[in-house]
Amino acid sequence: MKKFNGNPAHILLVEDNQGDARLAIEALKDGEISNILNHVFDGVEAMEYLKKEDKFNNAPRPDLILLDLNMPRMDGREFLAEIKNYPELASIPIIVLTTSQNETDIAKSYHLNANCYISKPVDFKGFKNVMRAIEQFWFSVVSLPDTP
């Protein structure tokens, strides 16, 4: 397995659906890039994770965030608006990975500075292919800023 900048890539998955979370975990487990995936269930937990609050006080800064849109408490749209209020977090790439193919959701996500918007495939093979493409693009092709 290749390393990302000499280390495993840190990925934060923000997903309330356990089935979809399991798909992402399984799809990334056998990836080409060594990774550590941390999973939280909504935008509130994601902000706690990123700000290293409470149980997340030792959480590593993610190199990439995979974000669902439709979640309880703080949904993906609210999270996108919130994270950009923190300059030290605003440079973390965020991929919206959701079931919605609604044009309004797509436009709003980009308006809120999502780096990319992907509709979740419904089967595991398709999901695995999407995760491979994400991994290849974001950890092999793109130049990401050094983490503070």
Side-chain angles (χ1 to χ4, degrees):
M1 238 184 243
K2 294 188 229 172
K3 300 238 178 187
F4 169 67
N5 291 336
N7 298 300
H10 286 274
I11 301 169
L12 178 61
L13 174 64
V14 186
E15 172 64 67
D16 66 315
N17 182 298
Q18 277 292 94
D20 287 348
R22 268 193 309 276
L23 281 176
I25 291 164
E26 285 301 314
L28 286 167
K29 190 183 294 182
D30 300 323
E32 292 180 21
I33 304 293
S34 174
N35 66 77
I36 297 170
L37 183 109
N38 290 290
H39 173 222
V40 296
F41 290 92
D42 59 35
V44 171
E45 269 195 331
M47 288 309 301
E48 289 171 356
Y49 179 98
L50 293 168
K51 295 187 317 189
K52 299 178 182 269
E53 295 177 347
D54 301 325
K55 66 182 179 184
F56 301 112
N57 62 346
N58 291 318
R61 176 188 165 96
D63 298 303
L64 183 72
I65 298 172
L66 301 175
L67 177 68
D68 187 29
L69 282 186
N70 301 310
M71 300 176 291
R73 297 198 303 165
M74 179 189 291
D75 71 16
R77 297 160 205 83
E78 294 166 319
F79 174 81
L80 282 168
E82 180 71 16
I83 193 173
K84 299 307 177 184
N85 291 323
Y86 296 87
E88 68 277 12
L89 302 175
S91 65
I92 300 170
I94 301 173
I95 297 174
V96 173
L97 185 62
T98 187
T99 56
S100 174
Q101 295 180 3
N102 182 303
E103 287 297 323
T104 303
D105 284 340
I106 296 168
K108 183 158 188 160
S109 294
Y110 282 113
H111 177 74
L112 291 169
N113 298 310
N115 296 89
C116 127
Y117 190 103
I118 300 172
S119 295
K120 291 179 194 171
V122 293
D123 65 354
F124 182 68
K125 184 177 180 186
F127 201 90
K128 194 170 183 175
N129 288 340
V130 164
M131 297 311 275
R132 289 289 164 274
I134 289 170
E135 180 185 61
Q136 179 66 28
F137 183 74
W138 287 99
F139 297 121
S140 296
V141 176
V142 171
S143 296
L144 295 173
D146 287 334
T147 57

PDB file of all heavy atoms in Angstrom, residues 18-48:
ATOM      1  N   GLN A  18     -25.553   3.846   9.043  1.00  0.00           N
ATOM      2  CA  GLN A  18     -24.562   2.816   9.354  1.00  0.00           C
ATOM      3  C   GLN A  18     -24.210   1.963   8.133  1.00  0.00           C
ATOM      4  O   GLN A  18     -23.061   1.578   7.953  1.00  0.00           O
ATOM      5  CB  GLN A  18     -25.059   1.908  10.480  1.00  0.00           C
ATOM      6  CG  GLN A  18     -24.823   2.471  11.863  1.00  0.00           C
ATOM      7  CD  GLN A  18     -23.350   2.528  12.209  1.00  0.00           C
ATOM      8  OE1 GLN A  18     -22.708   3.554  12.008  1.00  0.00           O
ATOM      9  NE2 GLN A  18     -22.805   1.452  12.722  1.00  0.00           N
ATOM     10  N   GLY A  19     -25.190   1.637   7.311  1.00  0.00           N
ATOM     11  CA  GLY A  19     -24.940   0.830   6.115  1.00  0.00           C
ATOM     12  C   GLY A  19     -24.001   1.534   5.155  1.00  0.00           C
ATOM     13  O   GLY A  19     -23.054   0.922   4.629  1.00  0.00           O
ATOM     14  N   ASP A  20     -24.244   2.817   4.909  1.00  0.00           N
ATOM     15  CA  ASP A  20     -23.372   3.580   4.014  1.00  0.00           C
ATOM     16  C   ASP A  20     -21.972   3.741   4.612  1.00  0.00           C
ATOM     17  O   ASP A  20     -20.977   3.715   3.893  1.00  0.00           O
ATOM     18  CB  ASP A  20     -23.979   4.945   3.701  1.00  0.00           C
ATOM     19  CG  ASP A  20     -25.164   4.855   2.760  1.00  0.00           C
ATOM     20  OD1 ASP A  20     -25.386   3.778   2.159  1.00  0.00           O
ATOM     21  OD2 ASP A  20     -25.888   5.858   2.618  1.00  0.00           O
ATOM     22  N   ALA A  21     -21.916   3.905   5.930  1.00  0.00           N
ATOM     23  CA  ALA A  21     -20.616   4.021   6.591  1.00  0.00           C
ATOM     24  C   ALA A  21     -19.830   2.722   6.426  1.00  0.00           C
ATOM     25  O   ALA A  21     -18.633   2.754   6.127  1.00  0.00           O
ATOM     26  CB  ALA A  21     -20.800   4.353   8.065  1.00  0.00           C
ATOM     27  N   ARG A  22     -20.496   1.588   6.599  1.00  0.00           N
ATOM     28  CA  ARG A  22     -19.828   0.286   6.424  1.00  0.00           C
ATOM     29  C   ARG A  22     -19.315   0.129   4.991  1.00  0.00           C
ATOM     30  O   ARG A  22     -18.212  -0.388   4.771  1.00  0.00           O
ATOM     31  CB  ARG A  22     -20.772  -0.863   6.777  1.00  0.00           C
ATOM     32  CG  ARG A  22     -20.684  -1.294   8.215  1.00  0.00           C
ATOM     33  CD  ARG A  22     -21.368  -2.618   8.482  1.00  0.00           C
ATOM     34  NE  ARG A  22     -22.728  -2.724   7.996  1.00  0.00           N
ATOM     35  CZ  ARG A  22     -23.809  -2.291   8.642  1.00  0.00           C
ATOM     36  NH1 ARG A  22     -23.685  -1.687   9.794  1.00  0.00           N
ATOM     37  NH2 ARG A  22     -24.999  -2.437   8.125  1.00  0.00           N
ATOM     38  N   LEU A  23     -20.122   0.562   4.022  1.00  0.00           N
ATOM     39  CA  LEU A  23     -19.674   0.496   2.619  1.00  0.00           C
ATOM     40  C   LEU A  23     -18.387   1.294   2.417  1.00  0.00           C
ATOM     41  O   LEU A  23     -17.450   0.822   1.762  1.00  0.00           O
ATOM     42  CB  LEU A  23     -20.756   1.038   1.682  1.00  0.00           C
ATOM     43  CG  LEU A  23     -21.924   0.134   1.336  1.00  0.00           C
ATOM     44  CD1 LEU A  23     -22.934   0.893   0.484  1.00  0.00           C
ATOM     45  CD2 LEU A  23     -21.445  -1.104   0.596  1.00  0.00           C
ATOM     46  N   ALA A  24     -18.358   2.509   2.955  1.00  0.00           N
ATOM     47  CA  ALA A  24     -17.171   3.357   2.806  1.00  0.00           C
ATOM     48  C   ALA A  24     -15.961   2.724   3.481  1.00  0.00           C
ATOM     49  O   ALA A  24     -14.863   2.690   2.912  1.00  0.00           O
ATOM     50  CB  ALA A  24     -17.436   4.745   3.384  1.00  0.00           C
ATOM     51  N   ILE A  25     -16.158   2.209   4.682  1.00  0.00           N
ATOM     52  CA  ILE A  25     -15.059   1.578   5.420  1.00  0.00           C
ATOM     53  C   ILE A  25     -14.524   0.382   4.643  1.00  0.00           C
ATOM     54  O   ILE A  25     -13.310   0.230   4.461  1.00  0.00           O
ATOM     55  CB  ILE A  25     -15.531   1.185   6.835  1.00  0.00           C
ATOM     56  CG1 ILE A  25     -15.780   2.455   7.665  1.00  0.00           C
ATOM     57  CG2 ILE A  25     -14.520   0.268   7.516  1.00  0.00           C
ATOM     58  CD1 ILE A  25     -16.588   2.240   8.932  1.00  0.00           C
ATOM     59  N   GLU A  26     -15.410  -0.468   4.157  1.00  0.00           N
ATOM     60  CA  GLU A  26     -14.999  -1.651   3.389  1.00  0.00           C
ATOM     61  C   GLU A  26     -14.315  -1.260   2.080  1.00  0.00           C
ATOM     62  O   GLU A  26     -13.319  -1.849   1.689  1.00  0.00           O
ATOM     63  CB  GLU A  26     -16.198  -2.561   3.107  1.00  0.00           C
ATOM     64  CG  GLU A  26     -16.654  -3.345   4.304  1.00  0.00           C
ATOM     65  CD  GLU A  26     -15.579  -4.251   4.878  1.00  0.00           C
ATOM     66  OE1 GLU A  26     -14.904  -4.964   4.102  1.00  0.00           O
ATOM     67  OE2 GLU A  26     -15.400  -4.246   6.104  1.00  0.00           O
ATOM     68  N   ALA A  27     -14.872  -0.263   1.406  1.00  0.00           N
ATOM     69  CA  ALA A  27     -14.320   0.162   0.111  1.00  0.00           C
ATOM     70  C   ALA A  27     -12.914   0.733   0.270  1.00  0.00           C
ATOM     71  O   ALA A  27     -12.066   0.553  -0.610  1.00  0.00           O
ATOM     72  CB  ALA A  27     -15.239   1.174  -0.551  1.00  0.00           C
ATOM     73  N   LEU A  28     -12.649   1.416   1.387  1.00  0.00           N
ATOM     74  CA  LEU A  28     -11.333   2.016   1.589  1.00  0.00           C
ATOM     75  C   LEU A  28     -10.325   1.064   2.227  1.00  0.00           C
ATOM     76  O   LEU A  28      -9.131   1.300   2.180  1.00  0.00           O
ATOM     77  CB  LEU A  28     -11.459   3.281   2.450  1.00  0.00           C
ATOM     78  CG  LEU A  28     -12.053   4.479   1.715  1.00  0.00           C
ATOM     79  CD1 LEU A  28     -12.428   5.575   2.691  1.00  0.00           C
ATOM     80  CD2 LEU A  28     -11.093   5.005   0.666  1.00  0.00           C
ATOM     81  N   LYS A  29     -10.826  -0.014   2.821  1.00  0.00           N
ATOM     82  CA  LYS A  29      -9.953  -0.958   3.528  1.00  0.00           C
ATOM     83  C   LYS A  29      -8.892  -1.549   2.602  1.00  0.00           C
ATOM     84  O   LYS A  29      -7.742  -1.715   2.986  1.00  0.00           O
ATOM     85  CB  LYS A  29     -10.794  -2.084   4.134  1.00  0.00           C
ATOM     86  CG  LYS A  29      -9.996  -2.974   5.078  1.00  0.00           C
ATOM     87  CD  LYS A  29     -10.824  -4.116   5.594  1.00  0.00           C
ATOM     88  CE  LYS A  29     -11.941  -3.608   6.481  1.00  0.00           C
ATOM     89  NZ  LYS A  29     -12.742  -4.695   7.052  1.00  0.00           N
ATOM     90  N   ASP A  30      -9.267  -1.877   1.390  1.00  0.00           N
ATOM     91  CA  ASP A  30      -8.330  -2.508   0.451  1.00  0.00           C
ATOM     92  C   ASP A  30      -7.814  -1.530  -0.593  1.00  0.00           C
ATOM     93  O   ASP A  30      -7.451  -1.929  -1.692  1.00  0.00           O
ATOM     94  CB  ASP A  30      -9.029  -3.676  -0.252  1.00  0.00           C
ATOM     95  CG  ASP A  30      -9.506  -4.731   0.733  1.00  0.00           C
ATOM     96  OD1 ASP A  30      -8.787  -4.979   1.714  1.00  0.00           O
ATOM     97  OD2 ASP A  30     -10.586  -5.287   0.529  1.00  0.00           O
ATOM     98  N   GLY A  31      -7.780  -0.264  -0.235  1.00  0.00           N
ATOM     99  CA  GLY A  31      -7.370   0.757  -1.188  1.00  0.00           C
ATOM    100  C   GLY A  31      -5.884   0.734  -1.498  1.00  0.00           C
ATOM    101  O   GLY A  31      -5.100   0.023  -0.874  1.00  0.00           O
ATOM    102  N   GLU A  32      -5.511   1.515  -2.478  1.00  0.00           N
ATOM    103  CA  GLU A  32      -4.109   1.626  -2.879  1.00  0.00           C
ATOM    104  C   GLU A  32      -3.318   2.498  -1.917  1.00  0.00           C
ATOM    105  O   GLU A  32      -2.115   2.346  -1.781  1.00  0.00           O
ATOM    106  CB  GLU A  32      -4.008   2.232  -4.280  1.00  0.00           C
ATOM    107  CG  GLU A  32      -4.526   1.330  -5.367  1.00  0.00           C
ATOM    108  CD  GLU A  32      -4.410   1.983  -6.740  1.00  0.00           C
ATOM    109  OE1 GLU A  32      -3.612   2.914  -6.903  1.00  0.00           O
ATOM    110  OE2 GLU A  32      -5.139   1.547  -7.638  1.00  0.00           O
ATOM    111  N   ILE A  33      -3.997   3.437  -1.281  1.00  0.00           N
ATOM    112  CA  ILE A  33      -3.347   4.368  -0.366  1.00  0.00           C
ATOM    113  C   ILE A  33      -3.662   3.943   1.064  1.00  0.00           C
ATOM    114  O   ILE A  33      -4.822   3.741   1.418  1.00  0.00           O
ATOM    115  CB  ILE A  33      -3.852   5.815  -0.588  1.00  0.00           C
ATOM    116  CG1 ILE A  33      -3.654   6.261  -2.035  1.00  0.00           C
ATOM    117  CG2 ILE A  33      -3.199   6.791   0.383  1.00  0.00           C
ATOM    118  CD1 ILE A  33      -2.233   6.417  -2.484  1.00  0.00           C
ATOM    119  N   SER A  34      -2.638   3.821   1.873  1.00  0.00           N
ATOM    120  CA  SER A  34      -2.828   3.515   3.283  1.00  0.00           C
ATOM    121  C   SER A  34      -3.644   4.654   3.900  1.00  0.00           C
ATOM    122  O   SER A  34      -3.335   5.835   3.688  1.00  0.00           O
ATOM    123  CB  SER A  34      -1.454   3.402   3.958  1.00  0.00           C
ATOM    124  OG  SER A  34      -1.595   3.235   5.329  1.00  0.00           O
ATOM    125  N   ASN A  35      -4.702   4.308   4.642  1.00  0.00           N
ATOM    126  CA  ASN A  35      -5.541   5.353   5.212  1.00  0.00           C
ATOM    127  C   ASN A  35      -6.052   4.970   6.588  1.00  0.00           C
ATOM    128  O   ASN A  35      -6.115   3.803   6.947  1.00  0.00           O
ATOM    129  CB  ASN A  35      -6.705   5.690   4.272  1.00  0.00           C
ATOM    130  CG  ASN A  35      -7.675   4.546   4.123  1.00  0.00           C
ATOM    131  OD1 ASN A  35      -8.498   4.299   5.008  1.00  0.00           O
ATOM    132  ND2 ASN A  35      -7.577   3.820   3.016  1.00  0.00           N
ATOM    133  N   ILE A  36      -6.389   5.996   7.328  1.00  0.00           N
ATOM    134  CA  ILE A  36      -7.053   5.846   8.621  1.00  0.00           C
ATOM    135  C   ILE A  36      -8.367   6.584   8.491  1.00  0.00           C
ATOM    136  O   ILE A  36      -8.389   7.798   8.240  1.00  0.00           O
ATOM    137  CB  ILE A  36      -6.196   6.432   9.755  1.00  0.00           C
ATOM    138  CG1 ILE A  36      -4.872   5.668   9.865  1.00  0.00           C
ATOM    139  CG2 ILE A  36      -6.976   6.393  11.078  1.00  0.00           C
ATOM    140  CD1 ILE A  36      -3.856   6.306  10.777  1.00  0.00           C
ATOM    141  N   LEU A  37      -9.455   5.849   8.627  1.00  0.00           N
ATOM    142  CA  LEU A  37     -10.783   6.438   8.470  1.00  0.00           C
ATOM    143  C   LEU A  37     -11.417   6.576   9.850  1.00  0.00           C
ATOM    144  O   LEU A  37     -11.493   5.613  10.604  1.00  0.00           O
ATOM    145  CB  LEU A  37     -11.667   5.557   7.583  1.00  0.00           C
ATOM    146  CG  LEU A  37     -13.035   6.159   7.336  1.00  0.00           C
ATOM    147  CD1 LEU A  37     -13.161   6.623   5.904  1.00  0.00           C
ATOM    148  CD2 LEU A  37     -14.114   5.155   7.641  1.00  0.00           C
ATOM    149  N   ASN A  38     -11.826   7.786  10.173  1.00  0.00           N
ATOM    150  CA  ASN A  38     -12.577   8.045  11.396  1.00  0.00           C
ATOM    151  C   ASN A  38     -13.997   8.399  10.990  1.00  0.00           C
ATOM    152  O   ASN A  38     -14.206   9.120  10.005  1.00  0.00           O
ATOM    153  CB  ASN A  38     -11.933   9.171  12.201  1.00  0.00           C
ATOM    154  CG  ASN A  38     -10.619   8.734  12.802  1.00  0.00           C
ATOM    155  OD1 ASN A  38     -10.593   7.916  13.702  1.00  0.00           O
ATOM    156  ND2 ASN A  38      -9.519   9.252  12.267  1.00  0.00           N
ATOM    157  N   HIS A  39     -14.959   7.916  11.763  1.00  0.00           N
ATOM    158  CA  HIS A  39     -16.368   8.059  11.416  1.00  0.00           C
ATOM    159  C   HIS A  39     -17.109   8.777  12.528  1.00  0.00           C
ATOM    160  O   HIS A  39     -17.002   8.404  13.690  1.00  0.00           O
ATOM    161  CB  HIS A  39     -16.969   6.666  11.173  1.00  0.00           C
ATOM    162  CG  HIS A  39     -18.432   6.666  10.965  1.00  0.00           C
ATOM    163  ND1 HIS A  39     -19.255   5.722  11.532  1.00  0.00           N
ATOM    164  CD2 HIS A  39     -19.247   7.492  10.252  1.00  0.00           C
ATOM    165  CE1 HIS A  39     -20.504   5.965  11.180  1.00  0.00           C
ATOM    166  NE2 HIS A  39     -20.510   7.032  10.409  1.00  0.00           N
ATOM    167  N   VAL A  40     -17.852   9.819  12.157  1.00  0.00           N
ATOM    168  CA  VAL A  40     -18.775  10.503  13.059  1.00  0.00           C
ATOM    169  C   VAL A  40     -20.150  10.516  12.402  1.00  0.00           C
ATOM    170  O   VAL A  40     -20.270  10.324  11.191  1.00  0.00           O
ATOM    171  CB  VAL A  40     -18.309  11.929  13.414  1.00  0.00           C
ATOM    172  CG1 VAL A  40     -16.997  11.903  14.198  1.00  0.00           C
ATOM    173  CG2 VAL A  40     -18.170  12.805  12.179  1.00  0.00           C
ATOM    174  N   PHE A  41     -21.193  10.728  13.208  1.00  0.00           N
ATOM    175  CA  PHE A  41     -22.555  10.531  12.734  1.00  0.00           C
ATOM    176  C   PHE A  41     -23.290  11.779  12.243  1.00  0.00           C
ATOM    177  O   PHE A  41     -24.353  11.655  11.642  1.00  0.00           O
ATOM    178  CB  PHE A  41     -23.382   9.841  13.827  1.00  0.00           C
ATOM    179  CG  PHE A  41     -22.957   8.420  14.032  1.00  0.00           C
ATOM    180  CD1 PHE A  41     -22.006   8.103  14.981  1.00  0.00           C
ATOM    181  CD2 PHE A  41     -23.465   7.399  13.246  1.00  0.00           C
ATOM    182  CE1 PHE A  41     -21.588   6.794  15.159  1.00  0.00           C
ATOM    183  CE2 PHE A  41     -23.064   6.095  13.405  1.00  0.00           C
ATOM    184  CZ  PHE A  41     -22.116   5.790  14.373  1.00  0.00           C
ATOM    185  N   ASP A  42     -22.766  12.965  12.501  1.00  0.00           N
ATOM    186  CA  ASP A  42     -23.449  14.173  12.021  1.00  0.00           C
ATOM    187  C   ASP A  42     -22.498  15.366  12.092  1.00  0.00           C
ATOM    188  O   ASP A  42     -21.361  15.235  12.543  1.00  0.00           O
ATOM    189  CB  ASP A  42     -24.738  14.443  12.809  1.00  0.00           C
ATOM    190  CG  ASP A  42     -24.519  14.637  14.299  1.00  0.00           C
ATOM    191  OD1 ASP A  42     -23.489  15.211  14.698  1.00  0.00           O
ATOM    192  OD2 ASP A  42     -25.396  14.214  15.080  1.00  0.00           O
ATOM    193  N   GLY A  43     -22.992  16.517  11.647  1.00  0.00           N
ATOM    194  CA  GLY A  43     -22.170  17.718  11.621  1.00  0.00           C
ATOM    195  C   GLY A  43     -21.739  18.207  12.991  1.00  0.00           C
ATOM    196  O   GLY A  43     -20.646  18.762  13.134  1.00  0.00           O
ATOM    197  N   VAL A  44     -22.560  17.989  14.005  1.00  0.00           N
ATOM    198  CA  VAL A  44     -22.194  18.402  15.364  1.00  0.00           C
ATOM    199  C   VAL A  44     -20.963  17.622  15.807  1.00  0.00           C
ATOM    200  O   VAL A  44     -19.976  18.200  16.283  1.00  0.00           O
ATOM    201  CB  VAL A  44     -23.373  18.193  16.353  1.00  0.00           C
ATOM    202  CG1 VAL A  44     -22.927  18.410  17.794  1.00  0.00           C
ATOM    203  CG2 VAL A  44     -24.531  19.124  16.012  1.00  0.00           C
ATOM    204  N   GLU A  45     -21.009  16.301  15.648  1.00  0.00           N
ATOM    205  CA  GLU A  45     -19.853  15.468  16.010  1.00  0.00           C
ATOM    206  C   GLU A  45     -18.641  15.808  15.155  1.00  0.00           C
ATOM    207  O   GLU A  45     -17.511  15.807  15.643  1.00  0.00           O
ATOM    208  CB  GLU A  45     -20.180  13.983  15.849  1.00  0.00           C
ATOM    209  CG  GLU A  45     -20.730  13.339  17.070  1.00  0.00           C
ATOM    210  CD  GLU A  45     -20.692  11.816  16.982  1.00  0.00           C
ATOM    211  OE1 GLU A  45     -20.771  11.248  15.873  1.00  0.00           O
ATOM    212  OE2 GLU A  45     -20.569  11.210  18.047  1.00  0.00           O
ATOM    213  N   ALA A  46     -18.858  16.105  13.890  1.00  0.00           N
ATOM    214  CA  ALA A  46     -17.743  16.452  13.003  1.00  0.00           C
ATOM    215  C   ALA A  46     -17.050  17.728  13.478  1.00  0.00           C
ATOM    216  O   ALA A  46     -15.819  17.795  13.500  1.00  0.00           O
ATOM    217  CB  ALA A  46     -18.228  16.612  11.562  1.00  0.00           C
ATOM    218  N   MET A  47     -17.819  18.724  13.897  1.00  0.00           N
ATOM    219  CA  MET A  47     -17.210  19.960  14.399  1.00  0.00           C
ATOM    220  C   MET A  47     -16.479  19.704  15.714  1.00  0.00           C
ATOM    221  O   MET A  47     -15.389  20.245  15.932  1.00  0.00           O
ATOM    222  CB  MET A  47     -18.258  21.064  14.557  1.00  0.00           C
ATOM    223  CG  MET A  47     -18.760  21.640  13.236  1.00  0.00           C
ATOM    224  SD  MET A  47     -17.465  22.187  12.061  1.00  0.00           S
ATOM    225  CE  MET A  47     -16.596  23.433  13.014  1.00  0.00           C
ATOM    226  N   GLU A  48     -17.039  18.877  16.573  1.00  0.00           N
ATOM    227  CA  GLU A  48     -16.353  18.518  17.819  1.00  0.00           C
ATOM    228  C   GLU A  48     -15.029  17.821  17.499  1.00  0.00           C
ATOM    229  O   GLU A  48     -14.002  18.087  18.128  1.00  0.00           O
ATOM    230  CB  GLU A  48     -17.229  17.605  18.680  1.00  0.00           C
ATOM    231  CG  GLU A  48     -18.418  18.312  19.288  1.00  0.00           C
ATOM    232  CD  GLU A  48     -19.412  17.371  19.956  1.00  0.00           C
ATOM    233  OE1 GLU A  48     -19.230  16.122  19.897  1.00  0.00           O
ATOM    234  OE2 GLU A  48     -20.389  17.874  20.543  1.00  0.00           O
TER     235      GLU A  48
END
